[in-house]
Amino acid sequence: MPASPLPLGTLALDNHAEAPLYRQLYDALRDAILDGRLHPGARLPSSRTLAGELGVGRNTVLTAYDQLTAEGYLEGQVGAGTRIAAVLPDSLLQLDRQARRPEPGRPARNTRGLSERGRALSATRRLAPTYKRGEGRPFLHGLPAIDQFPNLLWSRLLARHARDPRRGNLGYEVGIGLPALREAIAAYAGAARGVVCTADQVIVTVGAQGALDMAARMLLDPGDPVWIEDPGYLGARGALMGAGATLVPVPVDAEGIDVAAGIARHATPRLIYVTPSHQFPLGATLSLQRRLALLDHARQSGAWVLEDDYDSEYRYQGRPIASLQGLDRAGTVIYMGTFAKTMFPAIKIGYLIVPEDLVDAFGTAIRITGHVPPSTIQAALADFIGEGHYGSHVRHMRTLYAGRRALLLEALGNDLAPWLEAAPGEGGLQLSAFLADGADDAAMARAAAEADIHVSPLSLYRLESGRPGLYMGYASVPETEIGKAATRLAEVLTRAGCPRRP
């Protein structure tokens, strides 16, 4: 069989390209084989002949031929030259390229598809908030003042454990969290939040979303009814939807979640998700009467309560409110915490404090899924808490945030008063402000974004209709920028034709 005519137009080699010449030749020949331009069994020119045609050294061709032979694309026979392999490796691994090429205007589709849970999780992508880079952008919410974090101290703690890791921190036994960190969390939660637990009940997770995902996996079957605050946290909504839960929106007022309304809508939920210390996003604190009513109904109905305590450290009037878990006597409450708001989001460490009868099941699940933060970061965090740095940092930030909150409230009472009224609340890193009834809060948020002001419409967090408003963060915004940004926002609302409050 004569040598196969090569598509020399595709074999033009470039001496100035980043890839070496032999690699360029290898790629061109491989593509020609896989595209069918060089057929199985066809004989290639000798290395000397092809080198002459391409104007390259013979070793360049030999190196490309050798690589293709090693990978099964070529076959060399003494006296018969080099040929295209009769059975190509990619034909065993890939579908025919023509079959994989979608028709014009028609997207490719994998007919096997996702699982029901996979489709539900994928459908929640629209719930994920998008953040632009750079703290200090008004009025970005959910972001602490990262520039105030003691990075030098933190780097020393990380280096301490990276240089000399303890043997126990490098094995599989860290699956549910390093013992030192679990002990530090249990001690802190007990002293600062009134949580009643031992270190054995602490399960360390990959951030708050990891905790939500684990709770949903372990407690819910598809179709299970779940009470969720309305408006409420999008991350929780997404995790619960991903688990296939049936969401039961329960209204929120100045006393927090309306327990009576929840009972009227669905008396036997499988799970009740709440943010009792600082309701997200309206800022209410769940009243004692409703706390007791919620716990009583959970006990009677057999429901679990997932208490998300995401930023309760930042309360600016009076002492922090004790946790719902601390009032629980029936073992129905699972307490959830995070270090994203008190330290920085990228630390990606959260935790669950579960009733004793769930410890083994949750611990096994964590080990199987492998959703475990790196042990070096866990060890550094244990020291950060245990040596008192965490408490000191929180106290410093509480003072800073209280001042920034006061400036935003002042602006809401002056420049922004014609359009916005601050919702009641006494803590957190952000606040909600109500617009006049009938205002399009989504349109106002889009207009603000064009002026580089980040505010979220309250309608984004609602499953049902409710009072329009804007969700505004202040924690990462410098004091000198809050008033200026409020003035710009007032100009935006004016230009956008936002209706004024009565």
Side-chain angles (χ1 to χ4, degrees):
M1 179 182 292
S4 172
L6 286 172
L8 293 177
T10 65
L11 294 184
L13 307 183
D14 183 359
N15 284 298
H16 302 291
E18 183 177 345
L21 293 175
Y22 84 87
R23 183 70 197 193
Q24 296 178 48
L25 178 58
Y26 162 88
D27 288 338
L29 289 172
R30 181 178 181 274
D31 287 345
I33 292 169
L34 292 177
D35 286 344
R37 289 174 284 144
L38 290 175
H39 302 287
R43 185 164 61 88
L44 295 180
S46 69
S47 59
R48 191 182 306 277
T49 299
L50 184 57
E53 291 178 350
L54 296 177
V56 298
R58 187 184 177 199
N59 283 340
T60 296
V61 179
L62 286 173
T63 301
Y65 276 13
D66 287 346
Q67 183 66 31
L68 289 164
T69 301
E71 294 180 6
Y73 293 99
L74 302 182
E75 297 172 342
Q77 298 177 356
V78 177
T82 300
R83 298 177 181 275
I84 309 299
V87 179
L88 298 177
D90 284 65
S91 67
L92 302 177
L93 300 175
Q94 301 182 32
L95 297 173
D96 179 79
R97 289 198 170 206
Q98 292 299 322
R100 289 189 287 116
R101 202 168 281 143
E103 297 176 11
R106 181 176 179 179
R109 179 175 178 268
N110 185 336
T111 57
R112 286 170 293 184
L114 299 171
S115 67
E116 288 186 14
R117 180 178 172 85
R119 287 195 296 272
L121 284 170
S122 177
T124 65
R125 67 188 182 276
R126 64 183 177 80
L127 301 179
T130 56
Y131 296 113
K132 291 190 177 180
R133 287 184 178 274
E135 63 272 16
R137 181 171 178 261
F139 290 101
L140 189 66
H141 60 79
L143 190 67
I146 298 174
D147 61 324
Q148 297 293 312
F149 186 73
N151 288 302
L152 182 58
L153 169 62
W154 178 248
S155 65
R156 289 172 180 167
L157 295 177
L158 285 173
R160 173 194 298 174
H161 291 281
R163 269 196 317 268
D164 187 23
R166 297 170 185 159
R167 183 176 301 174
N169 295 355
L170 299 179
Y172 289 111
E173 58 269 28
V174 303
I176 59 175
L178 292 184
L181 179 56
R182 295 167 69 205
E183 290 168 4
I185 290 173
Y188 172 78
R193 304 295 303 117
V195 173
V196 179
C197 72
T198 66
D200 291 338
Q201 295 172 252
V202 178
I203 308 290
V204 179
T205 65
V206 182
Q209 285 303 126
L212 283 164
D213 178 68
M214 182 55 57
R217 285 175 189 245
M218 297 300 292
L219 302 177
L220 297 173
D221 290 317
D224 279 347
V226 176
W227 285 9
I228 186 168
E229 298 167 327
D230 191 32
Y233 176 49
L234 294 181
R237 191 198 305 179
L240 295 169
M241 288 172 62
T246 299
L247 302 185
V248 180
V250 182
V252 174
D253 59 24
E255 293 186 63
I257 190 170
D258 188 336
V259 178
I263 295 172
R265 294 187 173 200
H266 200 297
T268 56
R270 173 67 177 172
L271 177 72
I272 300 171
Y273 170 81
V274 287
T275 52
S277 295
H278 185 223
Q279 200 278 328
F280 184 100
L282 297 184
T285 298
L286 189 62
S287 66
L288 178 59
Q289 180 181 2
R290 288 194 181 173
R291 286 172 183 249
L292 297 176
L294 179 63
L295 292 173
D296 183 61
H297 184 70
R299 178 183 59 79
Q300 292 186 39
S301 64
W304 293 105
V305 177
L306 182 56
E307 177 182 10
D308 186 350
D309 203 10
Y310 64 100
D311 70 355
S312 62
E313 288 84 357
Y314 299 124
R315 182 177 171 85
Y316 309 119
Q317 295 180 12
R319 295 181 59 81
I321 302 297
S323 68
L324 189 65
Q325 193 267 6
L327 297 174
D328 180 26
R329 296 295 179 266
T332 63
V333 177
I334 297 169
Y335 180 88
M336 176 182 141
T338 176
F339 295 95
K341 303 298 188 293
T342 50
M343 294 177 65
F344 52 91
I347 192 171
K348 290 296 181 184
I349 294 184
Y351 58 92
L352 294 167
I353 296 177
V354 303
E356 292 180 353
D357 57 350
L358 293 182
V359 169
D360 288 344
F362 272 70
T364 300
I366 283 285
R367 292 185 181 96
I368 290 174
T369 60
H371 294 328
V372 181
S375 60
T376 299
I377 297 178
Q378 290 192 51
L381 179 56
D383 286 352
F384 192 69
I385 298 171
E387 294 174 7
H389 309 302
Y390 181 74
S392 176
H393 178 63
V394 168
R395 288 191 294 273
H396 169 62
M397 301 312 290
R398 187 183 293 129
T399 301
L400 177 71
Y401 296 155
R404 293 181 176 181
R405 176 184 174 85
L407 289 173
L408 180 54
L409 287 172
E410 180 181 351
L412 286 167
N414 292 305
D415 287 355
L416 294 170
W419 303 277
L420 290 164
E421 175 190 6
E426 299 173 348
L429 309 183
Q430 52 269 320
L431 56 79
S432 289
F434 295 118
L435 292 164
D437 290 342
D440 186 342
D441 56 8
M444 296 305 109
R446 288 193 297 270
E450 293 176 359
D452 200 32
I453 297 175
H454 182 102
V455 291
S456 292
L458 288 182
S459 57
L460 175 67
Y461 306 104
R462 296 187 187 276
L463 288 168
E464 299 178 342
S465 61
R467 193 173 178 185
L470 302 178
Y471 194 49
M472 310 170 68
Y474 49 80
S476 65
V477 187
E479 290 85 347
T480 55
E481 296 301 316
I482 291 176
K484 297 176 185 177
T487 300
R488 295 209 320 269
L489 180 57
E491 295 169 353
V492 166
L493 297 176
T494 300
R495 290 196 302 270
C498 182
R500 295 180 171 239
R501 296 191 302 114

